[in-house]
């Protein structure tokens, strides 16, 4: 599938409203934070952040195909093609300082979107990646080839509270194809070419996260020509939701190192 196939399949170019959800529109907020969810994740995953982030941040969440209000949209054949769509839709909206955040699979998506924005002459203020080894340190895995029970076991192992949604057979059959497709995207992902973004990168690694270790997270420094920060936080793979207030407090400092640089927006 090529970029032209992407346009044909969508019957038109990607749009911001079609690919992103703004939970708290703030047209005068001095910073826009754009988030990319994990495999199987959706825009609603970040809804709790709305009440945790300060007023000077407008929260924008990517809407991946195959779930929620894009349930009928076909999945892409590769992570790069997903990034093509998301970057195309986001580019016209980069009309103010914009930070990019991605968790787990979303970290790779965020990195690829950042690369595409830079090719258009747009530079995010910062790329923040969480719960994922650097692209060139990706672990070889084949979870997407497991049977349904094996796939569910992997998901529940990372997020035990998700087990209940697999008890309902109808819901199980609805969500499993999307989860499998996402795992295929990230497990077959390889960067198109080596190279560094100009955007500064901050990488987050949690002490109890079995999906990434400190060395793999630190390797993100090789993906930027700008500044790099490695941040170690407590908790497991989904600490950013399990302890949303704590995580977003750190995120606020990462987005605005100087707390006096921007006034709060009424």
């Amino acid at each position: 599938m090529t970029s032209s196939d992407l346009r044909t399949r969508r019957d038109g170019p990607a749009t911001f409203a079609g690919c992103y959800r703004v939970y708290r529109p703030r047209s005068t907020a001095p910073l826009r934070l754009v988030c990319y969810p994990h495999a199987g994740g959706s825009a609603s995953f970040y809804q709790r952040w709305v009440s945790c982030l300060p007023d000077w941040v407008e929260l924008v969440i990517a809407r991946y195909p195959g779930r929620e209000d894009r349930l009928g949209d076909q999945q892409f054949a590769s992570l790069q093609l997903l990034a093509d769509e998301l970057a195309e839709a986001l580019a016209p909206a980069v009309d103010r300082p914009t930070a990019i955040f991605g968790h787990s699979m979303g970290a790779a998506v965020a990195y690829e979107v950042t690369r595409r924005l830079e090719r258009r002459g747009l530079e995010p203020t910062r790329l923040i990646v969480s719960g994922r080894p650097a692209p060139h340190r990706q672990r070889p895995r084949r979870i997407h080839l497991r049977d349904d029970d094996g796939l569910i076991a992997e998901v529940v192992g990372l997020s035990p509270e998700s087990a209940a949604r697999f008890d309902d057979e109808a819901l199980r059959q609805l969500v499993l194809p999307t989860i499998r497709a996402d795992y295929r995207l990230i497990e077959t992902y390889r960067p198109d070419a080596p190279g560094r973004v100009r955007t500064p990168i901050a990488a987050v690694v949690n002490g109890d996260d079995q999906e990434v270790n400190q060395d793999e997270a630190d390797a993100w420094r090789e993906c930027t020509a700008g500044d790099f920060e490695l941040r170690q936080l407590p908790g497991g793979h989904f600490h950013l939701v399990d302890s949303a207030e704590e995580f977003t407090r750190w995120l606020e400092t990462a987005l605005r190192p100087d707390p006096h640089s921007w006034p709060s927006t009424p």
Side-chain angles (χ1 to χ4, degrees):
M1 186 181 293
T2 65
S3 294
S4 61
D5 294 326
L6 179 152
R7 290 178 177 272
T8 300
R9 197 197 66 175
R10 289 185 54 84
D11 192 27
T15 65
F16 181 79
C19 296
Y20 292 90
R21 180 181 298 168
V22 183
Y23 271 118
R24 186 178 60 178
R26 291 184 176 276
S27 59
T28 59
L31 180 76
R32 176 174 284 138
L33 174 63
V34 183
C35 299
Y36 296 91
H38 58 285
S42 59
S44 60
F45 179 78
Y46 290 95
Q47 190 167 5
R48 187 177 171 189
W49 282 17
V50 174
S51 60
C52 296
L53 289 169
D55 290 343
W56 49 266
V57 176
E58 181 180 66
L59 182 62
V60 177
I61 315 297
R63 300 165 61 228
Y64 296 157
R67 67 215 74 193
E68 293 190 336
D69 40 7
R70 294 193 66 187
L71 185 61
D73 288 2
Q74 180 184 343
Q75 296 274 5
F76 285 104
S78 71
L79 188 141
Q80 283 90 340
L81 286 172
L82 173 61
D84 284 345
E85 177 192 67
L86 295 170
E88 178 186 4
L90 180 61
V94 183
D95 55 358
R96 72 184 86 168
T98 300
I100 307 292
F101 174 85
H103 178 66
S104 199
M105 180 187 85
V109 176
Y111 168 68
E112 290 292 340
V113 168
T114 299
R115 296 178 76 183
R116 284 153 176 75
L117 291 177
E118 288 191 352
R119 290 171 195 161
R120 294 169 177 256
L122 303 168
E123 293 192 25
T125 59
R126 180 162 295 193
L127 169 61
I128 302 172
V129 291
S130 166
R132 187 78 198 165
H136 58 290
R137 294 290 302 275
Q138 178 163 302
R139 301 176 182 180
R141 306 185 76 177
R142 298 165 62 87
I143 295 167
H144 71 285
L145 297 178
R146 294 180 183 177
D147 62 16
D148 286 354
D149 288 341
L151 183 60
I152 291 171
E154 176 69 19
V155 174
V156 173
L158 291 174
S159 178
E161 64 275 9
S162 67
R165 67 173 170 165
F166 298 111
D167 292 338
D168 183 291
E169 182 61 25
L171 183 58
R172 171 182 170 130
Q173 295 305 315
L174 181 65
V175 301
L176 273 182
T178 296
I179 295 172
R180 187 179 302 280
D182 283 357
Y183 270 87
R184 176 184 55 78
L185 284 187
I186 190 57
E187 291 178 350
T188 60
Y189 163 65
R190 302 293 182 274
D192 293 329
R196 297 182 173 189
V197 296
R198 297 182 296 276
T199 302
I201 294 180
V204 181
V205 59
N206 296 108
D208 296 326
D209 190 350
Q210 300 303 308
E211 296 296 295
V212 57
N213 60 42
Q214 182 175 339
D215 184 58
E216 292 168 330
D218 188 69
W220 278 100
R221 71 171 64 247
E222 300 170 36
C223 298
T224 179
D227 293 336
F228 176 80
E229 175 190 359
L230 178 65
R231 181 72 176 190
Q232 294 179 278
L233 295 174
H237 190 63
F238 286 109
H239 174 78
L240 75 171
V241 168
D242 297 336
S243 302
E245 292 184 5
E246 179 183 1
F247 189 88
T248 52
R249 278 198 301 271
W250 169 79
L251 186 60
E252 178 179 349
T253 65
L255 295 174
R256 188 182 66 177
D258 178 4
H260 304 292
S261 59
W262 293 333
S264 295
T265 303

